């Protein structure tokens, strides 16, 4: 596609429910990144993929967070048993190569009630 | 703790020049990316700067280096949040740490 897309754009869920956030990177981009942007906070790095592999998962805030990428393309960020503090905008970005310019998606705004 | 520091907010009048700081500590020689977030728009790349080699930095590590960006004759439309990101090629295997962001407010 023309750019990075994310879905849904907005998600409201109840505390304790699981949510899945999707990211479609730019075709041909091998690296994919997930960030979290909370109100009043900066950009918090969560995880990155090179191809289908995630070399470093230590940025994930807790074991309720997981992510996968299949076919070197689409990625899904899953949050289990959501908590109110998970409320944030979740941003996805992709780059042609590891460490290259990142192209950002519009984000998914998650609200946990 | 975030090892990439930026000034929190800068407010200026149109036509002014603005320097936005980015102070970071790094192993190796990163490329410094600046991203800008305009209201209701996705982050986008503003500038990329490749750091020079070790002879200019005296070794393999960079500590508390400030690499500012300067914008001249700013307009109201430049009002946005500006983030810096020091990033080594192959360094995405380490956590990518964006700066805390500078909110630039340009008043007419």
């Amino acid at each position: 596609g023309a750019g990075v897309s994310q879905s849904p754009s907005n998600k409201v869920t109840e505390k304790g429910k699981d949510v899945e956030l999707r990211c479609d990177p730019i075709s041909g981009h091998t690296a994919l990144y997930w960030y979290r942007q909370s109100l009043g906070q900066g950009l918090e790095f969560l995880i990155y993929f090179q191809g289908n592999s995630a070399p470093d998962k230590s940025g994930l805030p807790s074991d309720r967070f997981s992510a996968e990428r299949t076919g070197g393309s689409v990625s899904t960020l899953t949050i289990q048993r959501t908590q109110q503090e998970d409320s944030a905008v979740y941003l996805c970005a992709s780059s042609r190569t590891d460490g290259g310019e990142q192209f950002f998606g519009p984000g998914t705004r998650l609200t946990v009630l | 703790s975030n090892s990439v520091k930026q000034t929190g907010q800068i407010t200026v009048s149109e036509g002014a020049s603005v320097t936005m700081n980015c102070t970071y500590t790094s192993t190796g020689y990163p490329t410094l990316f600046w991203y800008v977030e305009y209201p209701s728009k996705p982050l986008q790349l503003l500038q990329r700067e490749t750091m020079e080699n070790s002879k200019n930095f005296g070794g393999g590590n960079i500590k508390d280096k400030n690499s500012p960006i300067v914008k001249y004759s700013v307009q109201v439309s430049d009002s946005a949040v500006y983030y810096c990101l020091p990033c080594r090629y192959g360094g995405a295997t380490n956590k990518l740490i964006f700066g805390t962001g500078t909110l630039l407010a340009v008043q007419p």
Side-chain angles (χ1 to χ4, degrees):
Chain A
V4 178
S5 61
Q6 292 185 245
S7 61
S9 55
N10 278 285
K11 176 71 176 178
V12 180
T13 190
E14 293 179 348
K15 177 181 174 181
K17 296 288 179 76
D18 298 351
V19 296
E20 283 190 353
L21 312 180
R22 177 187 168 106
C23 173
D24 282 86
I26 293 173
S27 178
H29 280 194
T30 61
L32 185 148
Y33 314 81
W34 283 100
Y35 299 90
R36 180 168 70 174
Q37 188 177 37
S38 305
L39 189 63
Q41 304 290 320
L43 289 162
E44 177 187 4
F45 170 77
L46 298 179
I47 192 171
Y48 114 96
F49 289 89
Q50 180 60 38
N52 291 333
S53 300
D56 182 0
K57 300 181 180 180
S58 61
L60 296 174
S62 76
D63 59 8
R64 296 186 294 104
F65 286 71
S66 63
E68 65 176 15
R69 188 181 186 193
T70 55
S73 181
V74 172
S75 177
T76 303
L77 177 68
T78 301
I79 309 173
Q80 295 178 308
R81 305 181 303 281
T82 52
Q83 304 295 311
Q84 289 183 333
E85 59 263 28
D86 299 335
S87 297
V89 176
Y90 289 82
L91 296 173
C92 174
S94 69
S95 64
R96 186 177 299 280
T97 59
D98 172 13
E101 175 187 354
Q102 295 179 53
F103 293 81
F104 282 81
T108 293
R109 182 175 298 278
L110 174 66
T111 303
V112 182
L113 302 176
Chain B
S1 62
N2 194 326
S3 63
V4 185
K5 305 293 186 185
Q6 295 183 248
T7 306
Q9 181 168 342
I10 298 174
T11 302
V12 297
S13 299
E14 265 191 326
S17 294
V18 177
T19 298
M20 289 180 278
N21 295 320
C22 174
T23 304
Y24 60 92
T25 295
S26 174
T27 56
Y29 317 108
T31 293
L32 185 66
F33 293 87
W34 282 91
Y35 288 86
V36 59
E37 185 178 28
Y38 295 108
S40 302
K41 297 282 181 61
L43 274 89
Q44 59 187 271
L45 182 69
L46 180 67
Q47 177 178 299
R48 170 179 14 206
E49 178 183 357
T50 301
M51 297 295 109
E52 295 184 36
N53 60 25
S54 60
K55 70 178 181 181
N56 292 312
F57 291 101
N61 297 322
I62 299 170
K63 182 173 173 56
D64 296 331
K65 175 171 176 58
N66 181 29
S67 296
I69 189 171
V70 182
K71 291 186 70 65
Y72 299 97
S73 189
V74 295
Q75 304 299 306
V76 172
S77 57
D78 292 320
S79 297
V81 181
Y82 292 79
Y83 294 97
C84 65
L85 171 67
C87 181
R88 292 189 298 122
Y89 284 105
T93 51
N94 300 313
K95 292 179 186 179
L96 289 170
I97 301 179
F98 273 82
T100 47
T102 294
L103 173 60
L104 175 64
V106 182
Q107 298 177 336

